[in-house]
Amino acid sequence: MSRPVRIGVQLQPQHSPKYGLIRDAVLRAEDLGVDIVFNWDHFYPLSGDPEGAHFECWTMLGAFAEQTERVEIGALVTGGGYRNPDLLADMARTVDHISDGRLILGIGAGWFKKDYDQYGYEFGTPGTRLALLKESMARIDARLKKLNPAPVRDIPILIGGGGEKKTLRLVAEYADIWHSFADVEVLARKNVILGEHCAAVGREQAEIERSVQWPGAADAHGLHAAGVTLFTVGVSGPDYDLSEVEKAVRWRDEVNPDAVTGLA
């Protein structure tokens, strides 16, 4: 399956003392020509002042849906243990309708202990969090099929993580996009493992888009050759400097045979 390169921006909702700074960054990102605007699903900053300003993920995605016209939107990624999975599916369906079919449902097992402790969730272990994600994916899949009205489109599922036995199995079963933090060598090895999981569930692994954080143009070429077609630049508040995003968009347009102007 041949895919065009796409560029996302993750507008990290930290260190922004007012939401208007994020709203402005969303507009600037869409005007720059990015394909996807992501946020993240945490309750506290991950860098800088640990008690700094921060905003919640999914209410923000509803605002993204209303203020944009072209870009896809989503969380990179939703914390799998933070919400009832049936409710999360309903939230996703609703944001999908608000955006007229532009939502990506990104989800992972969760890892930031402070989020869990401060908001009253059971942190558990990596194993229990992955078991919960497995249960959640089945419930999300079932609930999306029951909702009335149905989603505007089959909402793409993005699963983040690199665990070879459990996470990649869930990617094979449910994901349209796999987001990892692998370099070229690790990605090549895990692609083989993902292929084995896909064969076990009767799926073509070419159906699953590969996604990583933007490493800069010099390293992006190698990752693209290894199969990555979605690169996301992370940008933090309060300034939301998009200069690196602009470089990534230029690189995309040099690599793609035709400019990406809409949904892939």
Side-chain angles (χ1 to χ4, degrees), residues 40-176:
W40 70 26
D41 191 19
H42 294 286
F43 307 131
Y44 293 91
L46 298 185
S47 61
D49 179 2
E51 300 299 324
H54 204 281
F55 287 98
E56 193 274 331
C57 168
W58 273 89
T59 45
M60 191 184 310
L61 288 176
F64 286 10
E66 281 286 7
Q67 75 168 109
T68 56
E69 298 179 353
R70 177 188 56 81
V71 293
E72 290 184 284
I73 59 174
L76 190 63
V77 290
T78 304
Y82 298 160
R83 296 168 189 84
N84 173 287
D86 290 83
L87 173 60
L88 178 60
D90 203 344
M91 292 163 60
R93 181 279 307 259
T94 300
V95 175
D96 185 58
H97 272 266
I98 295 170
S99 66
D100 196 23
R102 292 183 288 118
L103 179 76
I104 294 170
L105 176 50
I107 191 167
W111 62 273
F112 190 43
K113 190 172 186 296
K114 183 176 180 178
D115 286 342
Y116 289 81
D117 291 346
Q118 293 297 315
Y119 276 64
Y121 297 107
E122 178 65 37
F123 185 60
T125 66
T128 61
R129 293 194 297 277
L130 280 167
L132 180 60
L133 180 61
K134 180 179 180 180
E135 176 189 338
S136 294
M137 291 311 305
R139 289 176 60 180
I140 288 168
D141 183 63
R143 179 58 57 186
L144 286 172
K145 294 172 182 175
K146 296 176 183 178
L147 291 169
N148 182 19
V152 175
R153 63 172 177 171
D154 289 334
I155 298 175
I157 302 295
L158 179 154
I159 293 179
E164 296 175 4
K165 293 182 179 180
K166 297 179 180 178
T167 303
L168 291 185
R169 179 66 174 219
L170 292 175
V171 170
E173 290 178 331
Y174 295 105
D176 302 283

Side-chain angles (χ1 to χ4, degrees), residues 190-212:
K190 292 194 176 186
N191 271 332
V192 173
I193 296 168
L194 178 58
E196 293 169 353
H197 285 301
C198 286
V201 301
R203 190 172 180 202
E204 293 291 333
Q205 68 163 320
E207 298 174 7
I208 303 169
E209 184 172 19
R210 273 47 166 194
S211 167
V212 299

